[in-house]
Amino acid sequence: VARAKHGAARSPEPLVPLTGAELRGLQRRLLAWFRRNQRSLPWRGTRDHYRIWISEVMLQQTRVAAALRYYKKFLARFPNVGALARARTESVLEAWAGLGYYSRARNLHRAAREILRRHGGRFPRKPAVARELPGVGRYTAAAVLSIAYGEPLAVLDGNVARVLARLGAVRGRLREPSQWNALEDTAQTILFTSAPGTWNQAMMELGATVCTPRAPSCGRCPVAHFCQALALDCVEQIPEKPKRRAPVRVQLAAAVLLDSKGRTLLVQPKDNPRGVLFSRMWQFPAVEVAEDAETELRRHLHETYGLATAGLIALRPARHAVTFRDITLLPYLLPVVELPRGLRQAVKGKQSDGVGTGAVASVPLAEVERWPTSSATRKIARAAGAGGQPALPFPV
Ligand code: ADE
C-alpha cells in the first residue's frame, strides 16, 4: 500500500526480503523482546499526543539521558498545548536552555500556537496536516501519530535505519536520498500495523540498546536469526561510515563585563550576524576572532558598546564542540564602572562582526544560568566565577 502511494520509481528489490511467515516471526520476536526489555521512560505508558510530541522533539539530536533531565521539568512548566501556546518565547527558550538546537524550542512554541488556533488544541491526526506544523517533519509526524493515535506510519531514524541495513546487509550510505527512500519503504513494509506505535518504539529501542553502531550485542538480539549482516559476518561494516567532515575550528572571544554590584551584560542579537554562534539566546558580548583575540575583542567592545578596555583580563579558555564546529571559547573579564545601557548609536542597525542589533540586559553574574542561555554561555559564566569561586578578588 505504501509503495503504491509513493507512486514513481522505487527500488524493485526489497532491502529486507522476507516471506510472510518470516515477517510474522520477526515481528513476534521483536515485540516479545520489547515487552520484556524496554527501558522504563517517562514518555512510555502515555498516549497523550502533547507529551509524546514533546518527547519526540527532545529526542531528536539529544540522548535519552539528557532528554530525561529536561522532559519532566518542561512538562511541569508547560503541562499542555494551551500552556505552551500562551507562554512567552523567552520562557520556552529558558526551559530549553542547555538542550541545544534552539530552533526546536522556537518551533515547538509556534506549533503549539497553531495547534491551539487551527486544530482545536489537538495534534493533527493527518500526516500531511501535521507536517505543516513548524518543526514537524516526516519522522516527528510518524512518531507522534503512530504512538499517540495508532496511525500505521513507520518511523525511520538513525537507529531504525541501522537495524534495517543490517537485517538486509545493505551496503552504501544510508543517508543518501535514494537509499533513505528505500529504507523508508522497507520500514513501512515490515511495520506491525496492529500496534504501530509499539512497533516503532521497539525498532528504535533495538537500535539504541542492542544493534548499536559499535560493538552490537548480536548475542542478545531477538531477531539475529533474520540478520543478513550477521550471516555474512559484516555487522560492524554496516552501515558504511560517512566520510567525516573535518570540524571547522572557530575561536570566540567573549567579554564578561562586571560592575561593582556583580552585574554583567548579556546581549540578545536580533539578526544573526557573522560571529554570533548561539542563535538568539542571551549571551555575553562576543566576536569570532582569527589571530589576535584580545585586540579583536577590544575593538569589538569599543565599536559596539563604546567601552574602554584597559582592564581586560584573560580567563581560562574552554572547549565547546557542536556538530561540525569545534569552538574554543576565550573568555575575558572586564571590570567596568558602569555597564553600557545599549549599543552605540553608530552601530545600531549596522551589522558588525559581532552583535549588530538587538537587546541588552544587565544581570547579576550569579544569575546568568537562570537566563535562556546556551551551554557555551554557561561555560563562559563559570570561567568568570559564576556559581563558584570568583575568578579574581573583587571589588575592583
Ligand atoms: N528515540 C526517539 N524516540 C524514541 C522512542 N519513542 N523510543 C525509543 N527511542 C526513541
Side-chain angles (χ1 to χ4, degrees):
V1 182
R3 264 168 212 283
K5 250 201 322 216
H6 291 295
R10 284 288 174 100
S11 85
E13 293 289 321
L15 293 180
V16 183
L18 295 168
T19 65
E22 284 170 336
L23 176 58
R24 285 189 294 281
L26 178 141
Q27 290 173 329
R28 191 169 39 75
R29 285 176 198 221
L30 180 64
L31 289 167
W33 168 84
F34 184 61
R35 220 177 298 121
R36 277 197 299 274
N37 295 284
Q38 66 176 296
R39 292 168 292 180
S40 153
L41 298 170
W43 47 84
R44 296 210 169 134
T46 178
R47 303 197 78 173
D48 180 273
H49 56 94
Y50 174 69
R51 291 174 167 250
I52 288 162
W53 172 43
I54 301 296
S55 73
E56 291 301 341
V57 172
M58 279 191 180
L59 288 166
Q60 290 163 28
Q61 293 138 328
T62 302
R63 301 194 160 278
V64 166
L68 276 175
R69 277 185 265 124
Y70 284 82
Y71 180 74
K72 283 189 178 165
K73 268 198 290 184
F74 193 91
L75 284 177
R77 193 155 170 183
F78 312 110
N80 50 50
V81 175
L84 183 58
R86 283 187 291 272
R88 289 179 314 121
T89 308
E90 282 300 284
S91 158
V92 181
L93 286 172
E94 190 180 297
W96 204 266
L99 264 176
Y101 301 97
Y102 299 97
S103 60
R104 290 186 294 171
R106 289 178 189 284
N107 284 335
L108 267 184
H109 189 222
R110 288 192 199 117
R113 292 184 166 175
E114 277 189 31
I115 291 174
L116 198 64
R117 206 176 56 230
R118 296 180 38 197
H119 306 295
R122 284 188 69 74
F123 197 92
R125 195 178 182 124
K126 289 209 174 78
V129 180
R131 287 179 59 182
E132 284 171 13
L133 294 169
V136 177
R138 196 178 181 120
Y139 168 83
T140 312
V144 177
L145 299 187
S146 65
I147 299 171
Y149 303 143
E151 291 290 325
L153 299 164
V155 299
L156 184 67
D157 69 352
N159 282 328
V160 176
R162 184 173 58 258
V163 170
L164 294 175
R166 285 177 176 162
L167 280 172
V170 175
R171 300 286 183 176
R173 309 265 172 73
L174 306 188
R175 295 276 175 183
E176 200 261 309
S178 67
Q179 185 85 295
W180 195 258
N181 286 340
L183 288 163
E184 275 170 349
D185 284 356
T186 306
Q188 192 63 39
T189 308
I190 69 165
L191 178 70
F192 183 68
T193 50
S194 310
T198 307
W199 174 259
N200 281 332
Q201 295 191 77
M203 287 289 285
M204 291 192 275
E205 191 80 345
L206 188 71
T209 63
V210 173
C211 194
T212 48
R214 267 164 294 152
S217 312
C218 301
R220 290 198 286 120
C221 179
V223 295
H225 172 72
F226 302 95
C227 184
Q228 289 298 311
L230 186 60
L232 298 169
D233 194 21
C234 60
V235 174
E236 296 213 45
Q237 280 84 283
I238 293 174
E240 203 170 279
K241 308 283 174 295
K243 289 201 178 59
R244 279 255 163 258
R245 241 174 97 174
V248 179
R249 285 176 180 274
V250 177
Q251 291 199 97
L252 194 79
V256 179
L257 311 187
L258 201 59
D259 72 6
S260 59
K261 299 204 181 87
R263 284 179 312 207
T264 190
L265 186 82
L266 291 183
V267 299
Q268 188 186 40
K270 229 198 194 82
D271 42 32
N272 208 359
R274 193 176 81 75
V276 178
L277 292 164
F278 310 117
S279 158
R280 284 176 289 175
M281 306 292 277
W282 286 95
Q283 53 200 275
F284 293 108
V287 63
E288 194 177 322
V289 293
E291 292 195 354
D292 185 351
E294 194 166 316
T295 306
E296 292 175 55
L297 181 62
R298 282 181 200 280
R299 186 182 333 122
H300 173 66
L301 293 174
H302 178 69
E303 285 179 358
T304 312
Y305 305 95
L307 281 163
T309 58
L312 199 67
I313 301 157
L315 302 172
R316 186 195 301 260
R319 288 282 291 284
H320 184 70
V322 282
T323 17
F324 43 83
R325 272 199 280 237
D326 180 357
I327 305 168
T328 304
L329 302 170
L330 302 168
Y332 288 81
L333 189 70
L334 181 61
V336 293
V337 176
E338 210 179 346
L339 293 170
R341 287 162 197 273
L343 306 174
R344 263 170 52 160
Q345 283 304 325
V347 296
K348 270 195 187 162
K350 161 193 159 215
Q351 286 206 181
S352 70
D353 274 359
V355 176
T357 61
V360 304
S362 120
V363 179
L365 179 58
E367 288 177 16
V368 165
E369 304 217 1
R370 288 202 245 137
W371 279 55
T373 55
S374 84
S375 49
T377 298
R378 288 144 189 249
K379 285 181 193 168
I380 295 166
R382 271 176 238 138
Q389 290 297 310
L392 291 163
F394 287 104
V396 183

Coordinates of all heavy atoms in Angstrom, one line a residue, residues 28 44 83 214 218 236 252 254 261 294 310 372 387:
R28 N 6.9 -10.9 15.8 CA 6.6 -11.6 17.1 C 7.8 -11.5 18.1 O 7.7 -11.2 19.2 CB 6.1 -13.0 16.9 CG 5.5 -13.7 18.1 CD 4.8 -15.0 17.7 NE 5.5 -15.8 16.7 CZ 6.6 -16.5 17.0 NH1 7.1 -16.5 18.2 NH2 7.2 -17.2 16.0
R44 N 6.9 6.8 28.0 CA 6.2 5.5 27.6 C 5.0 5.3 28.5 O 5.0 5.9 29.6 CB 7.2 4.3 27.8 CG 8.3 4.5 26.8 CD 8.9 3.2 26.3 NE 9.8 3.5 25.2 CZ 11.0 3.0 25.1 NH1 11.5 2.2 26.0 NH2 11.8 3.2 24.0
A83 N -0.9 25.8 27.6 CA 0.1 26.4 28.4 C 1.3 26.8 27.6 O 1.9 27.9 27.8 CB 0.5 25.5 29.6
R214 N 28.6 0.8 17.4 CA 29.8 0.0 17.6 C 29.5 -1.1 18.6 O 28.6 -1.0 19.5 CB 30.9 0.9 18.1 CG 31.8 1.4 17.0 CD 32.6 2.6 17.5 NE 31.7 3.7 17.8 CZ 32.0 4.7 18.6 NH1 33.1 4.6 19.3 NH2 31.1 5.7 18.8
C218 N 25.0 -8.9 19.3 CA 24.2 -9.8 18.5 C 23.7 -11.0 19.3 O 22.7 -11.6 19.0 CB 25.0 -10.2 17.3 SG 25.4 -8.8 16.3
E236 N 29.6 -5.1 11.7 CA 30.3 -3.8 12.1 C 30.7 -3.0 10.8 O 31.0 -1.8 11.0 CB 31.5 -4.1 13.0 CG 31.0 -4.7 14.3 CD 31.8 -4.3 15.5 OE1 32.1 -3.0 15.6 OE2 32.2 -5.1 16.3
L252 N 36.1 32.0 19.6 CA 35.2 33.0 20.0 C 35.7 33.7 21.3 O 35.8 33.1 22.3 CB 33.8 32.4 20.3 CG 32.7 33.4 20.3 CD1 32.2 33.8 18.9 CD2 31.5 32.7 21.0
A254 N 34.9 36.2 24.2 CA 33.7 36.8 24.9 C 34.1 37.6 26.1 O 35.0 37.2 26.8 CB 32.8 35.6 25.3
K261 N 28.6 46.0 41.5 CA 27.5 45.2 42.2 C 27.4 43.8 41.7 O 26.4 43.1 42.0 CB 26.2 45.9 41.9 CG 26.1 47.4 42.4 CD 24.7 47.8 42.7 CE 24.6 49.2 43.2 NZ 24.6 50.2 42.0
E294 N 42.6 39.1 21.7 CA 42.4 40.2 22.6 C 42.2 41.6 21.9 O 41.3 42.3 22.2 CB 43.7 40.3 23.5 CG 43.4 41.2 24.7 CD 44.5 41.0 25.8 OE1 44.9 39.8 26.0 OE2 45.0 42.0 26.3
A310 N 40.9 48.9 29.0 CA 42.2 48.8 29.7 C 42.3 47.7 30.7 O 43.3 47.0 30.8 CB 42.6 50.2 30.3
P372 N 17.7 32.3 29.6 CA 17.8 31.4 28.5 C 19.1 31.6 27.8 O 19.3 32.6 27.0 CB 16.6 31.8 27.6 CG 16.1 33.1 28.2 CD 16.7 33.3 29.5
G387 N 28.7 30.9 40.1 CA 28.3 29.6 40.7 C 29.5 29.0 41.4 O 29.4 27.8 41.8

